[in-house]
Amino acid sequence: MNCYHAFMTILETGSFTKAAEELGYTQSAISQMVHSLEKELATTLLLRSRKGIALTPDGEELLPYIRRLANSHRELMEKQKEMRGLQSGIIRIGVFSSVSCHWLPGLMKDFKNQYPSVVFELHQGEYTSIAKLVRDGSVDFGFVNPYAVSELNTIALKHDEMLAVLPYNHPLSACEQVSLAELSSEPFILLDEGQLCEPLEYFKKNKLQPNIHYRVHDDYTIMSMIEKGLGISILPELILNRISYNLVTKKISPAIVRTIGIAFKNFKTVPIASRYFISFLVKQYGDISEHKNLQVM
C-alpha cells in the first residue's frame, strides 16, 4: 500500500477507521503508514481530536505535493495494468447530478457488460470544481459543458434542452410555452454550476435580468423549493425526466440548450480503463463529437 494513497484516503473519508475499512487494512496499519510518512517528512501532518482529523499548517502546505505523488503512483499501477491488457482498473470521473442520476448509470452498466472487472469512482461537483479535479489529477476526466472550461481537452457528447420549472398552480402553468421575459419578472432560483450558467447567458443575450432570490448548487433542492412556492427556475430536461415533485415544466422561447461533454488533460496519458470508457462514450454519441477515431492503445 502506498502511504501517500493512505494519507489521501484518510482525508477523503474523514477518519483513520473509515480509511482502514475502505482500503482493507487495520487501523493500526493505516496509523503506521501516516507515522512513517510524517517521519520521512520530519513534521506532523495530521491532528486527531474527538471532532475528527485536521491538517496541520505543514500538512496544508504539503498536501498538493502528496496528492500529486498519490496520483502518480496510481498512474504507475494503471500503466502496469495497461501493459498486461485491460482486465481491471478504476475509472475516476467528475460528474454533476443530472448526468450521474439519469444518464451515466446506463452507460456504466453497458460498459461493465464488456469489462466486468472495472470499478467506477464518481466525484460530484459542478463545471468549475470538476475542471479543477481534472487539472489536479483527482479524476481521470469529467463531465462538463465544454464551453465552461479552459486549458483542457474537451469532447461534446450530447445536447440537453433546459425547461422552465414552475409551481403546480402558477399562473404561467396554463401557457403552452413561456418566454424569457415572463420568467425574468418572477422570483428566480438559480442553479449555480460554476463559472458558466446557461440560463444567465441567455438572459444576458436577450438583454434581460432575472430576479434572483436564491442561488443553489443542487437540482433536487431547487425542485423542492419550487414545489413550496418559493420561486421558479430553469433546469435541464435530463434531470426532469423522472421526478416525484408536484411541478409543471414548460418549454422556453427562445429555447435554451446546454452542451454536455467531457474534459481531460491528455488522452494518451489517461489511465487505460478511462481511455476505453471515453472511447465508448464517443462511439455512443459520435453524432456531435469531433473525435470519432480516438485510439485507446
Side-chain angles (χ1 to χ4, degrees), residues 80-106:
Q80 183 185 39
K81 292 175 183 176
E82 178 180 342
M83 294 170 68
R84 297 197 305 264
L86 182 61
Q87 300 299 324
S88 62
I90 300 174
I91 300 174
R92 302 177 307 161
I93 310 173
V95 66
F96 46 92
S97 58
S98 57
V99 168
S100 62
C101 292
H102 299 286
W103 189 34
L104 190 55

PDB file of all heavy atoms in Angstrom, residues 80-106:
ATOM      1  N   GLN A  80       0.963  -0.294 -15.504  1.00  0.00           N
ATOM      2  CA  GLN A  80       1.337  -1.709 -15.391  1.00  0.00           C
ATOM      3  C   GLN A  80       0.188  -2.595 -15.863  1.00  0.00           C
ATOM      4  O   GLN A  80       0.399  -3.580 -16.589  1.00  0.00           O
ATOM      5  CB  GLN A  80       1.689  -2.025 -13.935  1.00  0.00           C
ATOM      6  CG  GLN A  80       2.167  -3.458 -13.718  1.00  0.00           C
ATOM      7  CD  GLN A  80       2.385  -3.753 -12.253  1.00  0.00           C
ATOM      8  OE1 GLN A  80       1.608  -3.318 -11.402  1.00  0.00           O
ATOM      9  NE2 GLN A  80       3.437  -4.488 -11.954  1.00  0.00           N
ATOM     10  N   LYS A  81      -1.063  -2.226 -15.498  1.00  0.00           N
ATOM     11  CA  LYS A  81      -2.226  -2.986 -15.959  1.00  0.00           C
ATOM     12  C   LYS A  81      -2.372  -2.871 -17.475  1.00  0.00           C
ATOM     13  O   LYS A  81      -2.725  -3.829 -18.149  1.00  0.00           O
ATOM     14  CB  LYS A  81      -3.496  -2.477 -15.275  1.00  0.00           C
ATOM     15  CG  LYS A  81      -3.562  -2.769 -13.781  1.00  0.00           C
ATOM     16  CD  LYS A  81      -4.793  -2.129 -13.176  1.00  0.00           C
ATOM     17  CE  LYS A  81      -4.839  -2.346 -11.672  1.00  0.00           C
ATOM     18  NZ  LYS A  81      -5.987  -1.647 -11.046  1.00  0.00           N
ATOM     19  N   GLU A  82      -2.110  -1.671 -17.981  1.00  0.00           N
ATOM     20  CA  GLU A  82      -2.226  -1.451 -19.421  1.00  0.00           C
ATOM     21  C   GLU A  82      -1.292  -2.374 -20.182  1.00  0.00           C
ATOM     22  O   GLU A  82      -1.637  -2.909 -21.235  1.00  0.00           O
ATOM     23  CB  GLU A  82      -1.910   0.006 -19.737  1.00  0.00           C
ATOM     24  CG  GLU A  82      -1.944   0.331 -21.212  1.00  0.00           C
ATOM     25  CD  GLU A  82      -1.629   1.793 -21.477  1.00  0.00           C
ATOM     26  OE1 GLU A  82      -1.716   2.613 -20.538  1.00  0.00           O
ATOM     27  OE2 GLU A  82      -1.288   2.108 -22.628  1.00  0.00           O
ATOM     28  N   MET A  83      -0.096  -2.563 -19.658  1.00  0.00           N
ATOM     29  CA  MET A  83       0.885  -3.408 -20.339  1.00  0.00           C
ATOM     30  C   MET A  83       0.457  -4.873 -20.339  1.00  0.00           C
ATOM     31  O   MET A  83       0.880  -5.657 -21.185  1.00  0.00           O
ATOM     32  CB  MET A  83       2.255  -3.238 -19.675  1.00  0.00           C
ATOM     33  CG  MET A  83       2.839  -1.833 -19.862  1.00  0.00           C
ATOM     34  SD  MET A  83       4.313  -1.496 -18.866  1.00  0.00           S
ATOM     35  CE  MET A  83       5.492  -2.596 -19.640  1.00  0.00           C
ATOM     36  N   ARG A  84      -0.451  -5.222 -19.398  1.00  0.00           N
ATOM     37  CA  ARG A  84      -0.965  -6.591 -19.346  1.00  0.00           C
ATOM     38  C   ARG A  84      -2.289  -6.725 -20.093  1.00  0.00           C
ATOM     39  O   ARG A  84      -2.783  -7.815 -20.300  1.00  0.00           O
ATOM     40  CB  ARG A  84      -1.186  -7.025 -17.891  1.00  0.00           C
ATOM     41  CG  ARG A  84       0.080  -7.081 -17.053  1.00  0.00           C
ATOM     42  CD  ARG A  84      -0.172  -7.903 -15.801  1.00  0.00           C
ATOM     43  NE  ARG A  84      -1.297  -7.424 -15.034  1.00  0.00           N
ATOM     44  CZ  ARG A  84      -1.194  -6.606 -13.991  1.00  0.00           C
ATOM     45  NH1 ARG A  84      -0.018  -6.153 -13.616  1.00  0.00           N
ATOM     46  NH2 ARG A  84      -2.271  -6.225 -13.333  1.00  0.00           N
ATOM     47  N   GLY A  85      -2.886  -5.572 -20.469  1.00  0.00           N
ATOM     48  CA  GLY A  85      -4.200  -5.597 -21.122  1.00  0.00           C
ATOM     49  C   GLY A  85      -5.274  -5.203 -20.136  1.00  0.00           C
ATOM     50  O   GLY A  85      -5.111  -5.299 -18.919  1.00  0.00           O
ATOM     51  N   LEU A  86      -6.406  -4.717 -20.645  1.00  0.00           N
ATOM     52  CA  LEU A  86      -7.491  -4.232 -19.782  1.00  0.00           C
ATOM     53  C   LEU A  86      -8.263  -5.392 -19.171  1.00  0.00           C
ATOM     54  O   LEU A  86      -9.173  -5.943 -19.771  1.00  0.00           O
ATOM     55  CB  LEU A  86      -8.441  -3.337 -20.580  1.00  0.00           C
ATOM     56  CG  LEU A  86      -9.602  -2.732 -19.777  1.00  0.00           C
ATOM     57  CD1 LEU A  86      -9.078  -1.841 -18.662  1.00  0.00           C
ATOM     58  CD2 LEU A  86     -10.534  -1.954 -20.679  1.00  0.00           C
ATOM     59  N   GLN A  87      -7.870  -5.779 -17.972  1.00  0.00           N
ATOM     60  CA  GLN A  87      -8.601  -6.797 -17.225  1.00  0.00           C
ATOM     61  C   GLN A  87      -9.358  -6.157 -16.058  1.00  0.00           C
ATOM     62  O   GLN A  87     -10.385  -6.648 -15.638  1.00  0.00           O
ATOM     63  CB  GLN A  87      -7.624  -7.866 -16.701  1.00  0.00           C
ATOM     64  CG  GLN A  87      -6.851  -8.581 -17.795  1.00  0.00           C
ATOM     65  CD  GLN A  87      -7.765  -9.327 -18.755  1.00  0.00           C
ATOM     66  OE1 GLN A  87      -8.779  -9.882 -18.337  1.00  0.00           O
ATOM     67  NE2 GLN A  87      -7.414  -9.327 -20.032  1.00  0.00           N
ATOM     68  N   SER A  88      -8.788  -5.092 -15.551  1.00  0.00           N
ATOM     69  CA  SER A  88      -9.423  -4.395 -14.436  1.00  0.00           C
ATOM     70  C   SER A  88      -8.984  -2.944 -14.501  1.00  0.00           C
ATOM     71  O   SER A  88      -8.327  -2.520 -15.441  1.00  0.00           O
ATOM     72  CB  SER A  88      -9.021  -5.035 -13.098  1.00  0.00           C
ATOM     73  OG  SER A  88      -7.614  -4.926 -12.912  1.00  0.00           O
ATOM     74  N   GLY A  89      -9.311  -2.172 -13.514  1.00  0.00           N
ATOM     75  CA  GLY A  89      -8.926  -0.772 -13.485  1.00  0.00           C
ATOM     76  C   GLY A  89      -9.993   0.067 -12.833  1.00  0.00           C
ATOM     77  O   GLY A  89     -11.154  -0.324 -12.744  1.00  0.00           O
ATOM     78  N   ILE A  90      -9.588   1.244 -12.351  1.00  0.00           N
ATOM     79  CA  ILE A  90     -10.502   2.181 -11.717  1.00  0.00           C
ATOM     80  C   ILE A  90     -10.725   3.340 -12.668  1.00  0.00           C
ATOM     81  O   ILE A  90      -9.771   3.912 -13.209  1.00  0.00           O
ATOM     82  CB  ILE A  90      -9.943   2.695 -10.379  1.00  0.00           C
ATOM     83  CG1 ILE A  90      -9.720   1.536  -9.410  1.00  0.00           C
ATOM     84  CG2 ILE A  90     -10.889   3.723  -9.765  1.00  0.00           C
ATOM     85  CD1 ILE A  90      -9.026   1.943  -8.121  1.00  0.00           C
ATOM     86  N   ILE A  91     -11.993   3.706 -12.880  1.00  0.00           N
ATOM     87  CA  ILE A  91     -12.355   4.828 -13.741  1.00  0.00           C
ATOM     88  C   ILE A  91     -12.880   5.938 -12.837  1.00  0.00           C
ATOM     89  O   ILE A  91     -13.957   5.826 -12.258  1.00  0.00           O
ATOM     90  CB  ILE A  91     -13.420   4.414 -14.770  1.00  0.00           C
ATOM     91  CG1 ILE A  91     -12.882   3.284 -15.654  1.00  0.00           C
ATOM     92  CG2 ILE A  91     -13.841   5.603 -15.620  1.00  0.00           C
ATOM     93  CD1 ILE A  91     -13.911   2.704 -16.599  1.00  0.00           C
ATOM     94  N   ARG A  92     -12.103   7.001 -12.691  1.00  0.00           N
ATOM     95  CA  ARG A  92     -12.458   8.103 -11.791  1.00  0.00           C
ATOM     96  C   ARG A  92     -13.039   9.251 -12.622  1.00  0.00           C
ATOM     97  O   ARG A  92     -12.370   9.780 -13.501  1.00  0.00           O
ATOM     98  CB  ARG A  92     -11.232   8.580 -11.022  1.00  0.00           C
ATOM     99  CG  ARG A  92     -10.553   7.498 -10.180  1.00  0.00           C
ATOM    100  CD  ARG A  92      -9.306   8.046  -9.525  1.00  0.00           C
ATOM    101  NE  ARG A  92      -8.427   8.651 -10.520  1.00  0.00           N
ATOM    102  CZ  ARG A  92      -7.456   9.530 -10.226  1.00  0.00           C
ATOM    103  NH1 ARG A  92      -7.267   9.908  -8.979  1.00  0.00           N
ATOM    104  NH2 ARG A  92      -6.689  10.020 -11.179  1.00  0.00           N
ATOM    105  N   ILE A  93     -14.269   9.628 -12.310  1.00  0.00           N
ATOM    106  CA  ILE A  93     -14.985  10.602 -13.130  1.00  0.00           C
ATOM    107  C   ILE A  93     -15.526  11.730 -12.257  1.00  0.00           C
ATOM    108  O   ILE A  93     -16.130  11.488 -11.213  1.00  0.00           O
ATOM    109  CB  ILE A  93     -16.170   9.948 -13.866  1.00  0.00           C
ATOM    110  CG1 ILE A  93     -15.729   8.669 -14.597  1.00  0.00           C
ATOM    111  CG2 ILE A  93     -16.801  10.934 -14.843  1.00  0.00           C
ATOM    112  CD1 ILE A  93     -16.894   7.885 -15.192  1.00  0.00           C
ATOM    113  N   GLY A  94     -15.349  12.960 -12.701  1.00  0.00           N
ATOM    114  CA  GLY A  94     -16.028  14.105 -12.106  1.00  0.00           C
ATOM    115  C   GLY A  94     -17.367  14.278 -12.805  1.00  0.00           C
ATOM    116  O   GLY A  94     -17.442  14.245 -14.030  1.00  0.00           O
ATOM    117  N   VAL A  95     -18.431  14.464 -12.037  1.00  0.00           N
ATOM    118  CA  VAL A  95     -19.764  14.427 -12.652  1.00  0.00           C
ATOM    119  C   VAL A  95     -20.740  15.306 -11.875  1.00  0.00           C
ATOM    120  O   VAL A  95     -20.596  15.491 -10.666  1.00  0.00           O
ATOM    121  CB  VAL A  95     -20.268  12.966 -12.717  1.00  0.00           C
ATOM    122  CG1 VAL A  95     -20.495  12.397 -11.334  1.00  0.00           C
ATOM    123  CG2 VAL A  95     -21.497  12.826 -13.586  1.00  0.00           C
ATOM    124  N   PHE A  96     -21.704  15.900 -12.577  1.00  0.00           N
ATOM    125  CA  PHE A  96     -22.750  16.675 -11.905  1.00  0.00           C
ATOM    126  C   PHE A  96     -24.034  15.851 -11.858  1.00  0.00           C
ATOM    127  O   PHE A  96     -24.190  14.859 -12.571  1.00  0.00           O
ATOM    128  CB  PHE A  96     -22.962  18.048 -12.540  1.00  0.00           C
ATOM    129  CG  PHE A  96     -23.043  18.061 -14.043  1.00  0.00           C
ATOM    130  CD1 PHE A  96     -24.257  17.950 -14.687  1.00  0.00           C
ATOM    131  CD2 PHE A  96     -21.898  18.218 -14.813  1.00  0.00           C
ATOM    132  CE1 PHE A  96     -24.336  17.983 -16.072  1.00  0.00           C
ATOM    133  CE2 PHE A  96     -21.961  18.256 -16.201  1.00  0.00           C
ATOM    134  CZ  PHE A  96     -23.182  18.135 -16.831  1.00  0.00           C
ATOM    135  N   SER A  97     -24.968  16.247 -11.009  1.00  0.00           N
ATOM    136  CA  SER A  97     -26.061  15.365 -10.590  1.00  0.00           C
ATOM    137  C   SER A  97     -26.969  14.910 -11.728  1.00  0.00           C
ATOM    138  O   SER A  97     -27.391  13.750 -11.750  1.00  0.00           O
ATOM    139  CB  SER A  97     -26.899  16.025  -9.491  1.00  0.00           C
ATOM    140  OG  SER A  97     -27.432  17.260  -9.929  1.00  0.00           O
ATOM    141  N   SER A  98     -27.310  15.784 -12.681  1.00  0.00           N
ATOM    142  CA  SER A  98     -28.232  15.357 -13.725  1.00  0.00           C
ATOM    143  C   SER A  98     -27.644  14.232 -14.562  1.00  0.00           C
ATOM    144  O   SER A  98     -28.359  13.324 -14.989  1.00  0.00           O
ATOM    145  CB  SER A  98     -28.615  16.539 -14.619  1.00  0.00           C
ATOM    146  OG  SER A  98     -27.484  17.150 -15.200  1.00  0.00           O
ATOM    147  N   VAL A  99     -26.338  14.259 -14.773  1.00  0.00           N
ATOM    148  CA  VAL A  99     -25.671  13.182 -15.522  1.00  0.00           C
ATOM    149  C   VAL A  99     -25.545  11.929 -14.673  1.00  0.00           C
ATOM    150  O   VAL A  99     -25.837  10.818 -15.122  1.00  0.00           O
ATOM    151  CB  VAL A  99     -24.282  13.649 -16.010  1.00  0.00           C
ATOM    152  CG1 VAL A  99     -23.462  12.460 -16.520  1.00  0.00           C
ATOM    153  CG2 VAL A  99     -24.431  14.671 -17.129  1.00  0.00           C
ATOM    154  N   SER A 100     -25.127  12.079 -13.414  1.00  0.00           N
ATOM    155  CA  SER A 100     -24.893  10.906 -12.566  1.00  0.00           C
ATOM    156  C   SER A 100     -26.183  10.185 -12.205  1.00  0.00           C
ATOM    157  O   SER A 100     -26.188   8.973 -11.984  1.00  0.00           O
ATOM    158  CB  SER A 100     -24.150  11.311 -11.284  1.00  0.00           C
ATOM    159  OG  SER A 100     -24.913  12.217 -10.518  1.00  0.00           O
ATOM    160  N   CYS A 101     -27.312  10.914 -12.167  1.00  0.00           N
ATOM    161  CA  CYS A 101     -28.588  10.285 -11.793  1.00  0.00           C
ATOM    162  C   CYS A 101     -29.334   9.689 -12.985  1.00  0.00           C
ATOM    163  O   CYS A 101     -29.957   8.638 -12.864  1.00  0.00           O
ATOM    164  CB  CYS A 101     -29.495  11.307 -11.111  1.00  0.00           C
ATOM    165  SG  CYS A 101     -28.919  11.855  -9.509  1.00  0.00           S
ATOM    166  N   HIS A 102     -29.272  10.349 -14.134  1.00  0.00           N
ATOM    167  CA  HIS A 102     -30.200   9.987 -15.209  1.00  0.00           C
ATOM    168  C   HIS A 102     -29.555   9.561 -16.521  1.00  0.00           C
ATOM    169  O   HIS A 102     -30.276   9.207 -17.458  1.00  0.00           O
ATOM    170  CB  HIS A 102     -31.137  11.174 -15.482  1.00  0.00           C
ATOM    171  CG  HIS A 102     -31.965  11.560 -14.299  1.00  0.00           C
ATOM    172  ND1 HIS A 102     -33.032  10.817 -13.864  1.00  0.00           N
ATOM    173  CD2 HIS A 102     -31.857  12.598 -13.431  1.00  0.00           C
ATOM    174  CE1 HIS A 102     -33.558  11.378 -12.792  1.00  0.00           C
ATOM    175  NE2 HIS A 102     -32.860  12.465 -12.509  1.00  0.00           N
ATOM    176  N   TRP A 103     -28.239   9.586 -16.619  1.00  0.00           N
ATOM    177  CA  TRP A 103     -27.598   9.238 -17.880  1.00  0.00           C
ATOM    178  C   TRP A 103     -26.454   8.249 -17.684  1.00  0.00           C
ATOM    179  O   TRP A 103     -26.397   7.208 -18.333  1.00  0.00           O
ATOM    180  CB  TRP A 103     -27.104  10.523 -18.560  1.00  0.00           C
ATOM    181  CG  TRP A 103     -26.616  10.340 -19.966  1.00  0.00           C
ATOM    182  CD1 TRP A 103     -27.104   9.466 -20.900  1.00  0.00           C
ATOM    183  CD2 TRP A 103     -25.563  11.053 -20.603  1.00  0.00           C
ATOM    184  NE1 TRP A 103     -26.411   9.588 -22.079  1.00  0.00           N
ATOM    185  CE2 TRP A 103     -25.466  10.568 -21.933  1.00  0.00           C
ATOM    186  CE3 TRP A 103     -24.691  12.064 -20.196  1.00  0.00           C
ATOM    187  CZ2 TRP A 103     -24.513  11.044 -22.830  1.00  0.00           C
ATOM    188  CZ3 TRP A 103     -23.766  12.551 -21.101  1.00  0.00           C
ATOM    189  CH2 TRP A 103     -23.684  12.042 -22.408  1.00  0.00           C
ATOM    190  N   LEU A 104     -25.592   8.563 -16.741  1.00  0.00           N
ATOM    191  CA  LEU A 104     -24.384   7.764 -16.557  1.00  0.00           C
ATOM    192  C   LEU A 104     -24.636   6.327 -16.108  1.00  0.00           C
ATOM    193  O   LEU A 104     -23.933   5.412 -16.565  1.00  0.00           O
ATOM    194  CB  LEU A 104     -23.450   8.480 -15.580  1.00  0.00           C
ATOM    195  CG  LEU A 104     -22.037   7.923 -15.431  1.00  0.00           C
ATOM    196  CD1 LEU A 104     -21.319   7.839 -16.770  1.00  0.00           C
ATOM    197  CD2 LEU A 104     -21.245   8.784 -14.447  1.00  0.00           C
ATOM    198  N   PRO A 105     -25.598   6.034 -15.220  1.00  0.00           N
ATOM    199  CA  PRO A 105     -25.785   4.646 -14.771  1.00  0.00           C
ATOM    200  C   PRO A 105     -25.981   3.651 -15.910  1.00  0.00           C
ATOM    201  O   PRO A 105     -25.408   2.551 -15.889  1.00  0.00           O
ATOM    202  CB  PRO A 105     -27.017   4.729 -13.869  1.00  0.00           C
ATOM    203  CG  PRO A 105     -26.975   6.113 -13.322  1.00  0.00           C
ATOM    204  CD  PRO A 105     -26.476   6.961 -14.461  1.00  0.00           C
ATOM    205  N   GLY A 106     -26.777   4.004 -16.908  1.00  0.00           N
ATOM    206  CA  GLY A 106     -26.980   3.097 -18.045  1.00  0.00           C
ATOM    207  C   GLY A 106     -25.710   2.879 -18.836  1.00  0.00           C
ATOM    208  O   GLY A 106     -25.435   1.762 -19.298  1.00  0.00           O
TER     209      GLY A 106
END
